Amino acid sequence: MIKDITIGQFFPGKSIIHRLDPRIKLLLTVIYIVMLFTASGFTGLLAASLYMLAAFIISGIPIKMMLKSIKPILPIIIFTGILNLFFISSGDPLVEWHFIKITDDGVRTMIFMAARIILLICGTSLLTYTTSPITLTDAIERILSPLKVIKFPAHEIAMMMTIALRFIPTLIEETDKIMSAQKARGADMESGNLIHRAKALIPILIPLFVSAFRRAEELALAMECRCYHGGEGRTRLKQLKTAPRDYVAVVITLIFLAAVIVLNMFSPI
Amino acid sequence: MEKFIEIKDVEFSYMNEYDDPPTKNTVLRGVSLDIGRGEFVAVLGHNGSGKSTLAKLLNAINLPEKGEVLIDGMLTSDEEHLYDIRKRVGMVFQNPDNQIVATVVEEDVAFALENIGVEPAEIRRRVDEALKTVGMYEYREHAPHKLSGGQKQRIAIAGVLAMQPECIVMDEPTAMLDPIGRCEIMKTIKQLNAAGVTIILITHYMDEAAQAGRVVVMDSGRVIADDVPKKVFSQMEMLKSVGLDVPDVTELTHALIAEGCSLPDDIISEDECFERLYNLLKKGG
Amino acid sequence: MGIIKTENLTYVYGEGTPFRKVAVDNINLDIDEGEIVGIIGRTGSGKSTLIQHFNGLLKPTSGKVFIDGDELFADKSRLKEIRFKVGLVFQYPEYQLFEETVYKDIAFGPKNMGLSEDEIDRRVRETARLVGLKPEYLEKSPFELSGGQKRRAAIAGVMAMEPKVLILDEPTAGLDPRGRDRILGLIKEYHAEKGTTVLLVSHSMEDVAKTVSKILVMNNSKVFMYSDRSGVFAKAEELTSMGLTVPQVTRVFDRLRAAGIEFEDEVFSVEYAKDLVLRLLRERGQSLD
């Protein structure tokens, strides 16, 4: 059911990766992504995957979770793989049958692209596995806050993200409940054609909307009662402070990036 | 007792925008009430009697149409005092799910303090203190949606308590809870009141109201009774006529009095009922 | 065989995950037709999971459920038909109202059953009367009704399916005393008029004691006992220790007995308590004062 979604799941822990400043973690993720896209050959990707694997092991997140994070995007990997396999016609042909032609270049590109996507997902998953959503939101707010000068609503965006994160589980639970209730009244959501099924959603969507609005209204009231008046003059319980370990992590990551660039020169695919 | 809240002849109405032309729905029709510092007041009344509207007048969410509301001498209609008033009078609502903002317990308790710009170290101290007071300190790093109803409601109370308010207004805080959750909340309320916090408890449960120091009964936008619980609950007929109840023990003693037994008509607690019935039945036994 | 029967019914949540929980554990029940049964137990005792098995919303992990002699899930094509024999009113049912008018909302269930227009019309009007909604409310939007009226309209939506068993999960939660009495009253009336089996899930012992004839007590995913009211309230101490409350009058009379006043009866309602006191006084040939 809907409850099984693992994207954005957070695994509390005390590893050094968990304790890094979330802003730095965001920066590291960006450098890592740059690393993946500058790597033009397998040796470069190998360096990036070593980096990722090391980070995963240090974080103490079970490797199983890494595989689990890939599962939902498997169809995308397979789809792009097939496209690469069939539509790249350069290189030596391996198989030729009627209009189908598979070349060694095609196979290589397929593996390369798949590896790149997998590494990309693993890296970003590691970010969400080791950083609580609220800390992440906080980091985004602080990174964006210089933009407040040009009236960019950094605080408002972060507040919205926080509230969304807070209410997603509540609304999922509610959806389950409403579905059961309508099923008990004989609503049929599993059979019929597309239009029929779309119509069958009405008894679920309307109550869900009504409830979401009611919650929003009550929440707004509760926030007002607790003196909420936007981001102005707000302080925070948790202050973000960078520590030496944050700088060390940045340096290590930059070394890997440099390595990838150097390796590119020696292994052009 | 020193006056903390003064409600002077307040009228309030909502506009019903859906009707064409919009109609006026008067909810409060001349309510006057003084509440002293440190009191524990229960407010009773059926749905639509105006008690929730009254509650929202106390921290300037609603402003009176006529009359005035003073909190610690400050007029609620005075914009300048808005946050001073909200800091002094905290509110807890019925649905605990809809008043928790953050995804971590301690972050939520800190929310009000962050809004009023308290220093981080002081926030930390007050959050810890508030969580300890409601007995939820060990849950400070939990996700609120995984807690029980009673626990969530205690988090909501802690979130208000962290502001160090002088008064907490609770609008049916136990309505959505199971008996265990209700018990937890009543214990917390009494403990806060003993520590000097003024409590205004809106409730549908007569046994909860019986534990207060004073009971205010509302009907169609007016205060129709305002006295100690014993005096209010002894007026069983009046309460029933406005859609309210009395504790079971009160109902029993009134039924026995009607049959000719000599019992006092103001029994509201289990202990008292037991003692009186024991004396009555023991005599011949 | 009764109208609802279970054989070794077990349901496990999240099998194979760290969150695995046995929600109902090896339950054998036999509920007779026409009975009005209260189901009590603290939050998480398994009562909500149990009732969702009775109309096939949940499929047992092991064991069987029989409704009116038919085994649920034995033949998937008949599931819907059997499900219609059991009407389930969830907690806060007013939050599932969705149609443009109260009439249409009450008609939603009967429509899904494939009944004729005339039959649907008859049922909507009859149940609206049963729950005390005036005919003019039928053309209003359900969102315009008051809280108590919404709740009654939602209950009518399930009653209109004319199930053989009506199950209500916490039907009085969050209502004021008048609303509470009204709902309990209409449940009793419905039971008296239709003779349908009714299961009432509740936290409130006072409500249960006032309304039902038999009580099913759930504790730690198991049936603690299934008996008539006096049988259950005779175990006041055990109920309290499992986090349930007993009615206030029951507590008073348990204390009277402990203090040496002799009587056999289990007291669970004000009415009964009054009669008992008067009888005890009379037995002693004692004047009322």
Side-chain angles (χ1 to χ4, degrees):
Chain A
M1 280 292 257
I2 338 178
K3 283 181 184 159
D4 298 334
I5 295 172
T6 58
I7 295 170
Q9 218 171 31
F10 166 57
F11 286 84
K14 297 251 180 267
S15 79
I16 193 155
I17 308 264
H18 281 89
R19 280 179 291 147
L20 285 179
D21 185 309
R23 290 170 299 181
I24 299 295
K25 263 193 271 188
L26 270 172
L27 176 70
L28 296 184
T29 311
V30 172
I31 302 176
Y32 170 72
I33 293 170
V34 170
M35 203 191 300
L36 288 180
F37 282 92
T38 44
S40 57
F42 280 104
T43 39
L45 273 196
L46 194 69
S49 55
L50 275 177
Y51 172 82
M52 219 281 306
L53 204 65
F56 235 102
I57 290 167
I58 296 169
S59 74
I61 306 281
I63 298 291
K64 203 175 74 192
M65 288 316 299
M66 189 165 85
L67 303 176
K68 222 175 165 183
S69 67
I70 302 167
K71 220 169 105 191
I73 53 132
L74 216 54
I76 300 173
I77 296 175
I78 293 169
F79 181 70
T80 52
I82 289 171
L83 284 186
N84 283 320
L85 199 58
F86 290 116
F87 289 96
I88 289 175
S89 49
S90 63
D92 300 329
L94 296 176
V95 181
E96 258 189 295
W97 184 69
H98 292 290
F99 58 91
I100 293 176
K101 184 174 154 195
I102 294 174
T103 67
D104 60 346
D105 268 5
V107 173
R108 212 176 296 135
T109 318
M110 176 185 76
I111 298 172
F112 184 76
M113 291 306 250
R116 185 186 268 170
I117 299 175
I118 290 171
L119 285 172
L120 185 71
I121 297 301
C122 289
T124 44
S125 301
L126 185 62
L127 175 70
T128 57
Y129 284 159
T130 58
T131 322
S132 75
I134 189 116
T135 325
L136 206 55
T137 320
D138 215 18
I140 293 170
E141 179 178 356
R142 281 173 223 226
I143 288 173
L144 295 178
S145 63
L147 298 178
K148 274 180 194 160
V149 193
I150 55 161
K151 297 253 154 97
F152 184 81
H155 165 75
E156 283 74 9
I157 288 177
M159 195 69 219
M160 280 192 263
M161 281 169 69
T162 309
I163 291 172
L165 286 169
R166 157 71 187 82
F167 278 90
I168 284 168
T170 310
L171 288 176
I172 287 177
E173 213 173 281
E174 181 127 7
T175 312
D176 264 356
K177 230 187 266 170
I178 296 171
M179 266 165 85
S180 301
Q182 304 299 28
K183 262 196 222 162
R185 291 211 279 166
D188 184 357
M189 280 163 275
E190 274 117 38
S191 55
N193 58 27
L194 207 62
I195 297 173
H196 190 92
R197 283 190 193 204
K199 261 190 170 166
L201 284 179
I202 294 174
I204 293 160
L205 290 180
I206 291 182
L208 192 61
F209 269 57
V210 171
S211 140
F213 278 112
R214 184 176 42 85
R215 286 180 192 281
E217 219 171 294
E218 286 180 21
L219 182 70
L221 180 63
M223 285 169 72
E224 248 186 279
C225 287
R226 284 157 80 186
C227 303
Y228 182 70
H229 51 93
E232 217 172 300
R234 243 179 147 243
T235 50
R236 302 306 302 266
L237 166 68
K238 284 181 186 143
Q239 297 304 102
L240 291 183
K241 260 194 227 121
T242 47
R245 58 169 173 266
D246 293 307
Y247 302 112
V248 174
V250 173
V251 170
I252 294 174
T253 312
L254 287 175
I255 290 173
F256 267 89
L257 178 63
V260 168
I261 293 168
V262 173
L263 286 170
N264 275 343
M265 294 178 206
F266 295 101
S267 128
I269 213 161
Chain B
M1 200 178 283
E2 190 194 342
K3 274 185 204 167
F4 178 65
I5 295 173
E6 289 169 76
I7 301 169
K8 291 182 190 162
D9 211 16
V10 164
E11 282 182 29
F12 189 87
S13 54
Y14 290 105
M15 287 310 276
N16 211 339
E17 310 279 353
Y18 297 108
D19 288 352
D20 192 36
T23 50
K24 204 166 143 180
N25 180 15
T26 308
V27 203
L28 297 178
R29 308 161 194 268
V31 171
S32 295
L33 208 59
D34 288 342
I35 291 169
R37 221 178 275 275
E39 268 197 272
F40 177 6
V41 183
V43 182
L44 294 174
H46 64 81
N47 286 339
S49 60
K51 54 197 192 327
S52 291
T53 309
L54 181 72
K56 287 180 199 145
L57 283 165
L58 301 180
N59 67 348
I61 293 291
N62 287 344
L63 294 177
E65 216 170 271
K66 272 192 202 142
E68 50 189 31
V69 178
L70 288 150
I71 305 295
D72 211 1
M74 294 177 287
L75 262 180
T76 56
S77 54
D78 193 347
E79 284 249 0
E80 219 179 291
H81 294 311
L82 184 64
Y83 295 110
D84 285 328
I85 288 172
R86 291 200 180 148
K87 262 189 271 180
R88 280 183 175 71
V89 181
M91 279 254 215
V92 176
F93 298 94
Q94 187 186 80
N95 190 335
D97 268 325
N98 298 351
Q99 46 189 327
I100 294 176
V101 190
T103 49
V104 181
V105 165
E106 60 178 11
E107 295 267 356
D108 187 73
V109 178
F111 182 72
L113 301 180
E114 295 179 336
N115 289 335
I116 52 181
V118 176
E119 288 307 311
E122 175 68 6
I123 297 185
R124 179 86 263 167
R125 197 188 63 73
R126 287 215 225 161
V127 166
D128 289 352
E129 192 186 296
L131 280 170
K132 279 176 190 158
T133 307
V134 299
M136 290 295 290
Y137 184 67
E138 57 269 48
Y139 291 91
R140 64 192 178 281
E141 283 173 3
H142 283 231
H145 73 268
K146 289 192 175 148
L147 303 175
S148 76
Q151 289 173 327
K152 278 189 245 183
Q153 200 61 293
R154 281 191 280 160
I155 297 301
I157 295 176
V160 167
L161 204 57
M163 293 194 288
Q164 299 180 334
E166 293 188 54
C167 172
I168 301 183
V169 182
M170 311 214 190
D171 193 353
E172 296 186 41
T174 59
M176 297 181 79
L177 306 182
D178 62 6
I180 296 173
R182 281 181 54 201
C183 208
E184 288 169 14
I185 298 305
M186 281 315 288
K187 228 172 92 188
T188 309
I189 289 176
K190 282 191 178 161
Q191 181 198 337
L192 291 177
N193 184 242
V197 181
T198 311
I199 301 280
I200 297 171
L201 172 69
I202 296 174
T203 183
H204 285 320
Y205 292 104
M206 304 304 141
D207 54 325
E208 290 175 8
Q211 296 172 42
R214 173 178 167 195
V215 176
V216 171
V217 182
M218 297 205 47
D219 185 53
S220 348
R222 290 195 180 85
V223 173
I224 57 164
D226 177 3
D227 214 325
V228 293
K230 262 179 171 305
K231 288 262 168 61
V232 171
F233 286 121
S234 65
Q235 306 170 53
M236 190 173 82
E237 291 310 314
M238 181 276 287
L239 289 172
K240 295 226 160 175
S241 75
V242 295
L244 295 173
D245 237 335
V246 292
D248 275 359
V249 290
T250 315
E251 190 161 346
L252 174 63
T253 38
H254 279 242
L256 288 170
I257 292 166
E259 295 287 341
C261 296
S262 76
L263 287 166
D265 68 351
D266 61 353
I267 292 179
I268 57 167
S269 79
E270 217 176 288
D271 291 345
E272 209 182 348
C273 180
F274 160 72
E275 264 161 45
R276 293 292 183 164
L277 286 181
Y278 182 74
N279 289 335
L280 186 73
L281 291 169
K282 176 189 69 169
K283 272 196 282 181
Chain C
M1 189 187 276
I3 185 88
I4 295 177
K5 188 174 154 59
T6 65
E7 275 177 18
N8 308 319
L9 172 64
T10 300
Y11 186 81
V12 183
Y13 276 110
E15 184 70 87
T17 72
F19 312 107
R20 183 179 185 275
K21 184 180 184 293
V22 182
V24 293
D25 192 0
N26 196 24
I27 289 187
N28 291 291
L29 262 182
D30 200 339
I31 295 171
D32 288 328
E33 185 153 17
E35 203 85 66
I36 176 159
V37 180
I39 302 181
I40 57 173
R42 59 181 290 180
T43 313
S45 62
K47 52 193 190 336
S48 290
T49 311
L50 179 68
I51 57 167
Q52 289 191 49
H53 279 94
F54 294 160
N55 76 343
L57 280 176
L58 290 177
K59 196 177 171 184
T61 307
S62 67
K64 290 172 182 167
V65 179
F66 298 90
I67 301 298
D68 206 8
D70 276 320
E71 190 191 340
L72 273 173
F73 294 104
D75 175 1
K76 234 193 149 191
S77 63
R78 290 195 57 221
L79 178 62
K80 216 170 163 181
E81 178 197 330
I82 307 173
R83 175 178 284 172
F84 286 140
K85 289 186 181 175
V86 181
L88 186 50
V89 180
F90 279 82
Q91 246 180 66
Y92 300 98
E94 60 273 30
Y95 295 149
Q96 72 213 22
L97 297 169
F98 71 98
E99 279 283 14
E100 289 157 61
T101 64
V102 175
Y103 184 98
K104 281 188 187 170
D105 211 287
I106 300 179
F108 180 68
K111 225 173 180 170
N112 287 329
M113 296 170 76
L115 300 172
S116 71
E117 286 292 323
D118 288 346
E119 177 65 10
I120 293 176
D121 188 69
R122 178 189 71 76
R123 290 189 178 193
V124 170
R125 292 188 189 285
E126 193 185 318
T127 43
R129 177 187 58 79
L130 255 172
V131 301
L133 285 175
K134 290 185 199 126
E136 60 260 35
Y137 284 139
L138 289 175
E139 296 314 315
K140 278 197 179 185
S141 157
F143 302 108
E144 278 177 55
L145 303 183
S146 75
Q149 287 168 338
K150 272 187 204 163
R151 172 92 40 111
R152 282 182 277 137
I155 294 176
V158 177
M159 284 181 173
M161 297 169 77
E162 301 195 344
K164 292 192 118 180
V165 182
L166 179 68
I167 307 176
L168 303 110
D169 192 356
E170 294 282 349
T172 61
L175 295 179
D176 63 3
R178 187 181 281 171
R180 227 179 289 168
D181 287 346
R182 186 122 199 216
I183 298 279
L184 292 178
L186 78 88
I187 292 171
K188 272 205 253 182
E189 255 168 62
Y190 171 84
H191 177 251
E193 196 172 316
K194 301 263 175 187
T196 321
T197 314
V198 175
L199 307 190
L200 176 70
V201 180
S202 183
H203 286 314
S204 161
M205 282 296 184
E206 274 86 0
D207 284 3
V208 168
K210 262 191 266 188
T211 320
V212 308
S213 50
K214 287 185 98 172
I215 297 177
L216 172 70
V217 185
M218 294 284 295
N219 188 34
N220 286 334
S221 317
K222 289 193 165 72
V223 172
F224 170 72
M225 72 185 303
Y226 178 49
S227 144
D228 58 7
R229 285 182 289 186
S230 44
V232 169
F233 290 122
K235 309 226 165 177
E237 233 170 88
E238 277 157 287
L239 295 177
T240 315
S241 75
M242 51 177 94
L244 296 169
T245 51
V246 293
Q248 208 177 24
V249 281
T250 309
R251 288 197 296 265
V252 170
F253 281 82
D254 281 350
R255 280 171 71 180
L256 284 171
R257 184 174 9 226
I261 308 282
E262 281 171 30
F263 55 94
E264 297 281 296
D265 320 52
E266 286 308 325
V267 177
F268 39 78
S269 72
V270 171
E271 193 61 20
Y272 198 100
K274 182 193 82 177
D275 293 343
L276 174 67
V277 173
L278 294 175
R279 202 185 73 213
L280 288 175
L281 290 174
R282 258 196 312 275
E283 274 170 13
R284 294 162 193 197
Q286 191 179 320
S287 71
L288 293 176
D289 51 15

